[in-house]
Amino acid sequence: MTQTFDVIIVGAGMVGAALANGLGRAGLSVALLDRETPAVFEPAAEPDLRVSAISAGSESYLERLGAWAGMRAMRLTPYRRLSVWDATPHPFSRLVSPNLARTTFEAHDLGCEHLGHIVENRVTQRALWDRAGECEGITRITDIEIRDVVSAENVVTVSLTDDRHLSAELLVGADGAQSRIRQLAGIGVTRDQYAQQALVASVRYRGTPHDITWQAFHPSGPRAFLPLHRDGEFSWASLVWYDDPARISELKNQSEADFIASLVKAFPAELPLIDRVPGRASFPLARQHAKTYASGRVVLVGDAAHTINPLAGQGVNLGFQDAQALQEELVEARRAGQPLAAPERLQRYEARRRPANRRMTLAMDLFYYTFSNRLPPLHLARNAGLALANHLPFAKNQVARYAMGIDDQLPPLLKQLVDRAPRPAFLK
Ligand SMILES: Cc1cc2nc3c(=O)[nH]c(=O)nc-3n(C[C@H](O)[C@H](O)[C@H](O)COP(=O)(O)OP(=O)(O)OC[C@H]3O[C@@H](n4cnc5c(N)ncnc54)[C@H](O)[C@@H]3O)c2cc1C
């Protein structure tokens, strides 16, 4: 027997689950599939190793979906300040005072209570999953694999490993960077592996949670601190250490005590005194972009469509913007009596999202290549850039508003810089 829906979404990660909630609440019938049921939140559990900086724009979206209250009831940590600086040791650094070349964004300069929140991925995912369970139009299916996808003239049919068959007008691939739906639809990607990997670690320190997230740029890669929740007399934080794969592998295999010693040596003095590091994991980093976001009755969102360098924590925020744009197009198609997979609708979705996703990819690469080297002229230029940012509060605040998802346009000067920067062939 075949169950019929308006839309099938494969992948109940943060982006797929958000899209399901949006479509379900707009009156469409949705099947939301994942190979795993998102874990139940355990307040006593150590933090998830995967955390994301959720922008103010994404917070409003999650609030509209009714998931933010659930996330807040689990746990999330606001940050009010964001600081970045160049930590490259070099003779030229003596020419510039460290404070001059350090840029700090403050929520109160922007008239906001906070710049964003650091949230464990499993908290966001579970809150969206629970919220989807409250919507009559959404059917949640887990512990399955996709066996096959067959597109016909009016429907697409998905066969599951438990012998169920589901059909719909449209199939959404929200199944992450290695998307099987993208592969089954024959959509290729352009991909480039970065020379750096990211090691993430949950760390505990005595004291109250910090209200700042910071990132020190070293030629071997940035080192970042993201504050997490309070735990009695202690607080948690997530650290991200970008470096070459050999160094990352060495760090990953150190004992807890040796790793803490490495942190003390390599991280800036801002790092609180760490007493425990229960978890560490590393991630290869690649920028990847699907050659098209839609083919026939299949459309891609989130990491299935694009991955970027995570150094400014923008990946899932872009995915949420994809989900909102696709939802608007599908709801409009339904209102206008059009098929949900109408090519002009899916093309419009891609036209709305591809340039924005590409621009963010390029902005991240501009940071990555400008900071990941010791070349004296670039060292001077980036310090001058950071110092200039401090003296141009309007432009600085515009950058912050863009990163927070409040404005969707970069300041004109930076936009030109990003658009004109030499770019890898695949991004042209
Ligand atoms: C080190 C690091 C730090 C990051 N920090 C940030 C940050 O601070 N802020 C930010 O915005 N982004 C950050 N990102 C990026 C962010 O994690 C991703 O953009 C985000 O997780 C993408 O969400 P998604 O729902 O598209 O995909 P995923 O999170 O990959 O979810 C995909 C879902 O699909 C399911 N699935 C996969 N294959 C199948 C299948 N065949 N059948 C059924 N289900 C399937 C999976 O189980 C999963 O639930 C970071 C990334 C890294 C690597």
Side-chain angles (χ1 to χ4, degrees):
M1 200 185 88
T2 303
Q3 276 177 284
T4 304
F5 300 90
D6 291 323
V7 179
I8 298 169
I9 300 175
V10 176
M14 296 184 280
V15 176
L19 177 64
N21 274 288
L23 294 177
R25 280 175 174 72
L28 274 71
S29 63
V30 179
L32 176 62
L33 276 59
D34 204 291
R35 49 162 68 116
E36 287 171 26
T37 307
V40 175
F41 175 70
E42 295 287 349
E46 283 151 4
D48 187 3
L49 276 168
R50 299 285 309 258
V51 308
S52 297
I54 301 289
S55 70
S58 295
E59 174 185 341
S60 309
Y61 170 54
L62 292 162
E63 236 162 29
R64 288 197 299 280
L65 295 178
W68 191 255
M71 291 165 64
R72 190 179 278 290
M74 290 183 228
R75 59 193 181 202
L76 40 77
T77 311
Y79 59 94
R80 296 181 177 82
R81 294 175 298 143
L82 185 156
S83 202
V84 290
W85 67 95
D86 185 0
T88 313
H90 196 279
F92 278 115
S93 31
R94 283 200 220 110
L95 294 176
V96 190
S97 136
N99 279 344
L100 203 66
R102 178 179 182 136
T103 291
T104 302
F105 300 92
E106 305 248 2
H108 69 76
D109 290 346
L110 293 149
C112 305
E113 227 177 84
H114 50 257
L115 295 174
H117 287 81
I118 308 297
V119 192
E120 295 157 70
N121 287 5
R122 68 175 173 216
V123 163
T124 309
Q125 196 187 358
R126 182 69 204 198
L128 285 162
W129 179 256
D130 289 345
R131 187 75 182 131
E134 294 164 9
C135 182
E136 239 181 67
I138 304 175
T139 303
R140 301 176 304 169
I141 300 171
T142 53
D143 304 308
I144 47 81
E145 281 290 339
I146 308 299
R147 184 177 286 155
D148 201 9
V149 171
V150 178
S151 274
E153 204 184 327
N154 294 318
V155 290
V156 53
T157 302
V158 176
S159 307
L160 307 180
T161 39
D162 63 2
D163 291 333
R164 264 188 285 184
H165 302 279
L166 315 175
S167 70
E169 279 189 56
L170 184 68
L171 171 62
V172 180
D175 48 348
Q178 313 300 329
S179 172
R180 177 151 158 76
I181 295 304
R182 189 183 64 221
Q183 286 159 16
L184 288 169
I187 300 175
V189 293
T190 46
R191 186 171 194 281
D192 234 24
Q193 187 96 19
Y194 290 102
Q196 294 170 3
Q197 289 191 356
L199 177 87
V200 298
S202 307
V203 301
R204 198 182 75 161
Y205 59 93
R206 195 177 291 276
T208 51
H210 290 199
D211 71 347
I212 186 166
T213 177
W214 47 255
Q215 184 145 278
F217 283 92
H218 294 255
S220 54
R223 292 166 203 169
F225 172 93
L226 296 89
L228 293 174
H229 57 281
R230 188 185 188 128
D231 183 2
E233 60 190 295
F234 295 97
S235 293
W236 290 94
S238 174
L239 302 184
V240 194
W241 186 335
Y242 298 81
D243 219 310
D244 68 69
R247 178 74 174 131
I248 294 292
S249 155
E250 197 184 304
L251 290 166
K252 217 167 74 169
N253 292 319
Q254 284 180 336
S255 68
E256 188 174 347
D258 286 349
F259 182 64
I260 292 176
S262 299
L263 289 176
V264 171
K265 207 164 149 203
F267 269 60
E270 277 81 352
L271 186 71
L273 200 61
I274 306 300
D275 85 316
R276 278 197 62 205
V277 187
R280 265 170 278 169
S282 66
F283 298 91
L285 305 177
R287 74 166 101 63
Q288 184 169 280
H289 214 155
K291 289 193 171 154
T292 173
Y293 287 5
S295 171
R297 295 187 171 275
V298 174
V299 63
L300 306 175
V301 288
D303 274 20
H306 45 77
T307 62
I308 64 170
N309 192 312
L311 65 82
Q314 291 295 334
V316 75
N317 295 301
L318 293 181
F320 285 149
Q321 288 166 22
D322 293 350
Q324 290 172 81
L326 183 60
Q327 180 190 327
E328 283 165 19
E329 292 303 329
L330 297 182
V331 169
E332 182 52 27
R334 176 55 54 94
R335 195 200 57 76
Q338 276 179 327
L340 296 177
E344 59 274 24
R345 280 285 155 204
L346 301 183
Q347 280 159 14
R348 238 177 84 91
Y349 156 67
E350 178 158 357
R352 286 174 65 178
R353 292 304 308 147
R354 183 177 282 278
N357 291 331
R358 188 175 50 197
R359 184 162 290 130
M360 188 62 88
T361 308
L362 290 169
M364 293 309 103
D365 277 2
L366 196 65
F367 271 103
Y368 174 78
Y369 290 112
T370 309
F371 281 93
S372 302
N373 66 73
R374 290 176 197 276
L375 294 175
L378 275 181
H379 184 250
L380 204 57
R382 61 191 181 234
N383 277 280
L386 289 170
L388 190 66
N390 280 334
H391 290 88
L392 292 174
F394 178 68
K396 181 175 131 180
N397 289 345
Q398 264 192 308
V399 171
R401 291 175 68 81
Y402 175 70
M404 288 165 71
I406 298 172
D407 290 343
D408 60 3
Q409 292 297 321
L410 274 169
L413 185 68
L414 194 59
K415 185 166 178 286
Q416 278 195 22
L417 200 63
V418 167
D419 286 344
R420 289 178 184 190
R423 60 188 64 177
F426 79 89
L427 278 169
K428 284 180 179 158

